[in-house]
Amino acid sequence: MAVTAVCPGSFDPVTYGHLDVIRRAAAQFDRLVVACLRNAGKRPLLDVDERLALLEAVVVDLPNVEVAAFDGLLVDFCAERGATVIVKGLRAASDFEYELQMAQMNARLGNVETLFLTTSPVYSFLSSSLVKEVARFGGDVADFVPPIVAERLSRHR
Ligand code: PNS
């Protein structure tokens, strides 16, 4: 049976760290849906259409990956898409406590397993928030995000 997984996040913006997890997850499942939270609690820098457009551009070479926005509960989105697995990246032990709570809550709310991929060490320090801060002050983000994302961030200086 074909297995669909969901890789959720705010993606404000997508970084090479996200992309690393997306690529590695795509290699493990028949179909991967990258799910972009529409109304990210923190006020996002990029609106959801921009975040989706950037995601679509950076996964264009991955044929089993699709991109979609969601709001409401992640487990409801998984049910709508027929997904039985949520894939999350873990950068460090500090990520684990909150991710564990979310995984256990999602398991209680829906018929879905959460699988964790450990972030590749070269990206373990990366976060969208830090990338935005570096870009805001004119720093070079070329090592952290794909060129199309860097170009988009440069407009916010
Ligand atoms: O990139 P982020 O901000 O760490 O992603 C967090 C996200 C989108 C995975 C999480 O906030 C989420 O799943 N939100 C949807 C609402 C929901 O289902 N909440 C209950 C989960 S325990």
Side-chain angles (χ1 to χ4, degrees), residues 96-116:
F96 182 72
E97 204 168 333
Y98 184 52
E99 292 296 343
L100 176 67
Q101 261 187 310
M102 282 201 287
Q104 291 174 336
M105 177 61 86
N106 284 328
R108 276 296 282 271
L109 291 173
N111 183 26
V112 64
E113 293 286 358
T114 298
L115 300 182
F116 294 109

Side-chain angles (χ1 to χ4, degrees), residues 8-11 37 42 70 72-75 88 98 102 105-106 109:
S10 302
F11 303 108
L37 184 64
K42 16 179 184 172
F70 81 104
L73 287 177
L74 180 58
V75 289
K88 302 292 297 278
Y98 184 52
M102 282 201 287
M105 177 61 86
N106 284 328
L109 291 173

Side-chain angles (χ1 to χ4, degrees), residues 79-140:
E80 274 165 32
R81 298 293 174 129
T84 50
V85 176
I86 295 168
V87 179
K88 302 292 297 278
L90 280 182
R91 287 169 298 192
S94 51
D95 282 344
F96 182 72
E97 204 168 333
Y98 184 52
E99 292 296 343
L100 176 67
Q101 261 187 310
M102 282 201 287
Q104 291 174 336
M105 177 61 86
N106 284 328
R108 276 296 282 271
L109 291 173
N111 183 26
V112 64
E113 293 286 358
T114 298
L115 300 182
F116 294 109
L117 287 180
T118 53
T119 305
S120 299
V122 279
Y123 302 126
S124 60
F125 64 93
L126 250 188
S127 70
S128 296
S129 308
L130 281 184
V131 167
K132 281 184 282 191
E133 185 161 319
V134 172
R136 183 154 59 96
F137 293 114
D140 183 4

